[in-house]
Structure formats: C-alpha cells, structure tokens
Amino acid sequence: MSRNCYRGPAALGLALILGACAKPALNTTGLAAAADETQAPAFLRDPVSRLYYDGDSDDLHTAGLGIEGLRAAAPAFADPLAPTTRELRRNRIHYNYNAIVNTAAAGGFGTRFGPAPGSEKVAGHEYLTVSRYPDGSVAAVLMVQVPDNLDRNRPCIVTAPSSGSRGVYGAIGTAGAWGLTRNCVVAYTDKGTGTGFYFPATGEGTGTGYDLHGRVNDGANAVFSAAATSGPHRVAVKHSHSGHNVEKDWGRFVLQSVQLAFYLLNHHHGREQTFTRANTLVIASSISNGGASSVRAAEQDEGDWIDAVVVAEPNLALPAGLELPVYDSAGRLPAVRTLLDISTHFALYQGCAALAPGLQAAPLAVALTPPLREAYGNRCLALAARGLLGDSPGAESTDPKALAELAQQALLDYGILADTLALGPFSSAIQLWESLAVTYTNAYGRYRAQAPACRVSFAAIDATGQPSAPAPVLQAALPSLSSGIPPTGGLALIDDSAGGIELVRTLPRGAGTDRGLDTLLCLRRALAAEAVQQGLGEIIASADLQGKPAIIVHGRDDHLINVNHSSRPYLALNRQREGEQSRLHYYEVTHGQHFDALLRIPDFARNYVPLHYYFEQALDLMWEHLAAQRPLPPSQVIRAQPGGAAAPQLPAIAPAPGNNAIKFTGAKIIIP
C-alpha cells in the first residue's frame, strides 16, 4: 500500500483510521507477504487508537506510577462503578507488572534487574487495535509502543506477547520493560487470550463484555462475546470459549504485531528514515506462553521479520510420546507429555500428593488450610477406593499420609523432576491444575460456553459457592485484576454436574462422596477425545528456528512448565532439525521456578532465585551478539543459590561454563 492510502493523522488522544486499500497477497501464515514495510498489513481492518504519554504524569512503561507506585498497592478508582480509561490502563499495568515480577527492593528490583530508578518513566506513543478471523470475530488485540527516545541509529523492535492467558499488557514488566528501557519499539499482543470475559443477558437485550480499553461494553461492541452460557450467571471466557483454539495462532499473532510495528513506525515516525527489516533489529521475546508464542513466530517466519529469539520458561508444545537422546544425572529423559496431559493427571493426584510428609515444610504449604487438608485427605481415600493409586503396597491403606506418598509417586511417574514437587501444596491451594485442565480442554476441543467440557463453567459466586451475578464493582474492574483464566478476579470454577457449585467445594468433606473426582476423571478422559486431539495437533512446535540465534532460559524447579517436557526436549529436537547449524543456546537455572512475583514472600525467597534476572541478562547478551557480533555463551547450567536471609547467589551466564556446560556428544545431549 502506498503512503497515499493513509487517511491522515488524527489529533493525539483520538482514534485514527488506517485505510485498507488494496489487499496484499497472503502467505501461509496469513500475514501480508509485503516486501515494503510501509504497506498496511492485510489483517488491519479496524481503527487504531493512538495516544501520547508525556513520561511524567503518565508514561508507556509504568502508567505514571514509577517504581514506587508499582511497589505500592493498586490505586483506587475515583468512581469504582465507572473507572476512566486512564484509570483502567494504569491498574492493568500495575496488576500485570506485579503478577509477574517481584518489584520489591529487597528482591533486587531496580538494582540487580529491572529499570534503574529515575529511568522507568518512558514518554511516547501507544497504538492499539485488533486483528480478526474470517468470521469477523476478534482474533487478537495488538499494541505497539514507540518511545520518544527511539534509537534511530540502531532501531529495534522487541515482541512482548502476554504470558499465561493475560491481556495485552501481560508482558509489560518483562519483555516490555526491557525493550522500552533499551529505547526499542515494543510490539505486544494478547495472543487471542486476554481478559476477554462476557456476561450474557439473563433476559431481553444483549449481554456485556469489554472493549479494547477494558471498559464495560454491550455485546455488540465487545472484544469477545458469546451466544449463550450453560446456566444463569455463567461467564464466557475468550481463551476457553472462542471456538478458534487460539493457541494454534500464537506465532501468527506475534508476527502480526511485528508487521504492525513496522507499518506504524514508518507512517508516524519515519520522516527522517524508512524502517526496514534490513536496518531494524527485531528480537522475539517474552516468558511462559508468551515465550512459546515468540518461538512459534520464529518457526513460522517466512518473511524474515525476526532476527533473534530470547524467551524464558516457554510452554513449548512437542509431539506426545517423543523420545529424545537427552540425559541428566537420573539418566535418559522420559517421553514427552503435553501440558494438558500433565494438567489433567496432576488435577487428579496433586491435592492428595500435597499431604506427603516430606512436603509439610514446603514453600507456602500453609496455604493448604486445615479444611483443605481434611478434604484432600478424603481425596486420597477416594482415589484408593477407585483403584487409582495402583496395586503397590499401601494402596489399600486408610492412612492419608501413606496414600499421599503413592499419589506423589504417580506424579513422579510422569517424568517430572522431583524437586518440583515442593510447590505441590501451593499449586493445590490455588487450583492451578484444575484451572489449566478446564481451560485448555475447552480451548483445544473448541467447546462453547453453552456446552463446556465436562460441564465445568465459570461464574462469580456467593458465600455458599453458588453462581451469582457479579457485583457491579467487580464487573467494572475485572480486566484490571484478572489473569484471564479462572479462578481469577472473583470468578470461580463451577461444577455443573455436582449441582452447580464451586469446584473446590466438591472436594469430599467428612464422610461425603468426592463429587469433584468424577469431574476430574471426565476431564482426564476428554484428553483422548477426537476434537481435543485435533486441537493438540494444531499447536505442535516444529523446533526449526530457521538458523536464527536464540536463547531459552528455564528454571530447573519450574513446577508449571517442567523442563523435562518443554525446554530440554525442544533443545534436542532443534538439534535434530537444524543439526550443527543450530544457533539455539539453552541456559538452565538451578532453584529457578515459574512465579517470580512470589519471591516477595519470604518463604519463597528462602528457596528460589529470580529467573527474571537471567532473562534480562540473556536479552543483554543477545543484543550484544546482534549489535556487536559478540559470541553467545555456550549452553549451560547456572548454579544459582537462594540466599535465605542474605541476597541470593546469582552467578552470571558464563562465557566458559566448564563443568556446567551442556554437552553435545554425537546424538546425545548431556545436562549436568
């Protein structure tokens, strides 16, 4: 598209319209196969919101809060029933930052990692729009931040797809923060998940959802809507119920964000130069699901939009049952399992396993309250009664502690690292595995909200655990205090097959039956359903990074995305795909786990180290590699140690790792 197709700049703070004009040809990723970065991407059909932030009262990075504001409690809305667009954005940034990063000074934020005090407020423009599916529904939210201090001598773009199921600001504190403080453009996407909630009308009229800015909106203008739900007061959730299996498009959405960034750069900031793939460095980055999205984008990058990849703890989907020649101190790694396989298995056994005697001093074991301990003890008995704890000695015991050890063995039999079990009590208390099992089963199987998988729905609840209408204050604030995957923001998992009560309340109490166990077994069986298997088949990574330099950082103690089923086998499969031409570097950090934000809790800080420190270090190393041709350190294990009462020991990624090097010997990969 020529510049003449652009319909003129809008006043700051107002929406601008980017004309569609002639539609470029599409390549197999659904992106515009444009040779000219000034062309409008073919997917761009909606208005683009353009706002300017002065870097003082408001800014791109901290929404005007600064480091101290990020550390403080979230600011209150002037009118809790009608928060302004600015207030919603401010609180979305505050929530997502603190949900991912430990912003406490004692944890090293502002000194060992993160922005230096005084440099955190970044002035510039923020653009917001969507891409759509052929049926007209919103596919993904896209956002581009262009700092005023963009380095025009070495222009750069960093991708920041959201982690987990978060909204478009979900990576603001990780890849977004690094990019902005490096004077780079940051290209964000919610990857089709986001805080897309919809409350269908109970009578006449349309339901309510949320617009791009997180404002309550009617169904006709909401980013996500649903025809119906399974019962009164139920809530439809975009990641679960869009019907599109959005994960299959995560890489495509990242590539869309990059192409949009080039287009906006050239139309609004290209007066002195044209930004092209030849003169602008592009690093695909982020963590967790966002990290996996950037990896997938690099695999699918047919137009050479991406120069390098740096991700942490990525949720990489690999072919189930894959066996690879990777060895650690325990021997050859087990066959690969998908996250959904692991989630449905752990949902069955983790609560009982959390009662094992060896875990009672585990981090945040106190989160398992006495009522939950009693309930999970009865879950142990229910598993044994169903013959689900095997025929090992003790399987017929009535001692919950003995049964808990058998349940713990059932988890170890899934090929996870034993040290990751320490986070079992915490994950049980927050319903981590139930949440993942429900969300991803619905997503892969394309179940809709009116007929969810295994009759598990989402809703706000009253004091008895029954679905209820959300409080207006909750509904107004939900996008600003939600991870995008229930239970979150006052929304709970509801077991419709057990009378429509909160799933956690179906845990057996006293001598009652374990109503929730049947639901979890249903989710386990759903793994084999044709629709779910088809969805899983659509998300498998190729492990071919097309020769791009890449870094994966992962914590060895990651309980959520276990290294044995993600980064380690991906490293091996990449070596098979690319051979000696592979430029993938893998840095595994001892005592690193998935939830850095929890390190502000002393119980976590005594046991784990900040993985974010190494994520930023990896980005710095890649920047020097691209900009100054400095070699990347070899793949290695980094022997970090928690500090207890003192600061943690965080050795740098070593240029010569010695005995900590990951060895590639013939076909074998040996991880020390």
Side-chain angles (χ1 to χ4, degrees), residues 89-152:
R89 176 182 180 272
R90 177 197 66 198
N91 283 33
R92 290 165 87 181
I93 289 175
H94 181 279
Y95 172 80
N96 281 291
Y97 218 119
N98 282 281
I100 302 297
V101 178
N102 176 17
T103 57
F109 184 74
T111 52
R112 303 189 81 167
F113 60 88
S119 69
E120 73 270 26
K121 289 188 177 182
V122 179
H125 290 84
E126 183 172 288
Y127 303 86
L128 197 63
T129 190
V130 300
S131 65
R132 293 185 180 272
Y133 285 112
D135 65 4
S137 62
V138 170
V141 177
L142 306 171
M143 183 172 75
V144 176
Q145 291 181 325
V146 183
D148 282 355
N149 58 1
L150 171 67
D151 187 345
R152 291 177 174 272

Side-chain angles (χ1 to χ4, degrees), residues 494-516:
I494 305 298
D495 191 341
D496 292 333
S497 65
I501 62 172
E502 187 183 11
L503 181 60
V504 71
R505 296 177 196 246
T506 63
L507 281 167
R509 313 284 174 163
T513 58
D514 189 346
R515 292 173 292 183

Side-chain angles (χ1 to χ4, degrees), residues 338-662:
T338 66
L339 179 62
L340 183 58
D341 184 359
I342 293 169
S343 298
T344 54
H345 184 78
F346 272 51
L348 283 173
Y349 292 103
Q350 181 65 87
C352 174
L355 303 182
L359 296 181
Q360 300 322 295
L364 284 187
V366 68
L368 277 183
T369 61
L372 274 178
R373 287 181 177 279
E374 179 184 1
Y376 281 127
N378 290 328
R379 167 65 55 79
C380 290
L381 296 173
L383 289 168
R386 299 282 190 100
L388 296 173
L389 291 178
D391 53 4
S392 302
E396 296 182 4
S397 170
T398 57
D399 177 8
K401 292 182 179 179
L403 295 175
E405 291 184 331
L406 293 177
Q408 186 171 255
Q409 186 59 49
L411 303 183
L412 291 171
D413 289 345
Y414 252 52
I416 65 167
L417 296 180
D419 286 347
T420 66
L421 290 175
L423 288 169
F426 170 72
S427 67
S428 298
I430 66 170
Q431 301 179 73
L432 173 68
W433 300 109
E434 292 87 343
S435 174
L436 295 174
V438 171
T439 292
Y440 286 88
T441 298
N442 276 289
Y444 297 148
R446 293 176 169 83
Y447 293 90
R448 298 296 184 134
Q450 60 265 42
C454 296
R455 300 183 64 192
V456 181
S457 56
F458 306 128
I461 55 172
D462 61 20
T464 68
Q466 296 287 341
S468 64
V473 170
L474 167 66
Q475 194 167 0
L478 187 56
S480 298
L481 45 80
S482 167
S483 67
I485 174 172
T488 184
L491 300 180
L493 303 174
I494 305 298
D495 191 341
D496 292 333
S497 65
I501 62 172
E502 187 183 11
L503 181 60
V504 71
R505 296 177 196 246
T506 63
L507 281 167
R509 313 284 174 163
T513 58
D514 189 346
R515 292 173 292 183
L517 184 55
D518 286 330
T519 297
L520 298 180
L521 287 168
C522 175
L523 290 165
R524 182 66 182 158
R525 291 191 297 270
L527 176 66
E530 182 178 354
V532 174
Q533 285 296 309
Q534 177 183 335
L536 283 166
E538 294 169 342
I539 67 164
I540 301 302
S542 72
D544 183 355
L545 292 169
Q546 306 188 66
K548 301 179 192 296
I551 295 174
I552 293 175
V553 178
H554 211 136
R556 179 169 286 186
D557 289 359
D558 195 326
H559 181 61
L560 175 58
I561 308 298
N562 197 277
V563 292
N564 275 355
H565 298 295
S566 52
S567 294
R568 287 178 172 185
Y570 188 91
L571 176 69
L573 190 58
N574 172 260
R575 293 287 291 194
Q576 289 186 1
R577 296 282 190 269
E578 297 191 79
E580 296 299 322
Q581 303 305 310
S582 171
R583 300 169 73 189
L584 172 60
H585 295 69
Y586 176 52
Y587 307 135
E588 186 171 293
V589 182
T590 61
H591 300 288
Q593 52 85 45
H594 202 83
F595 301 108
D596 260 24
L598 294 173
L599 294 175
R600 62 172 59 92
I601 302 171
D603 206 8
F604 260 71
R606 282 191 292 270
N607 290 275
Y608 301 107
V609 301
L611 195 66
H612 189 68
Y613 170 80
Y614 289 103
F615 174 60
E616 287 195 353
Q617 193 175 138
L619 280 162
D620 290 341
L621 289 168
M622 184 60 77
W623 177 261
E624 293 302 319
H625 177 68
L626 295 174
Q629 291 75 55
R630 293 183 182 174
L632 291 171
S635 296
Q636 60 192 268
V637 173
I638 302 161
R639 306 288 177 182
Q641 292 290 333
Q649 299 176 33
L650 303 175
I653 300 171
N659 292 334
N660 292 319
I662 293 174

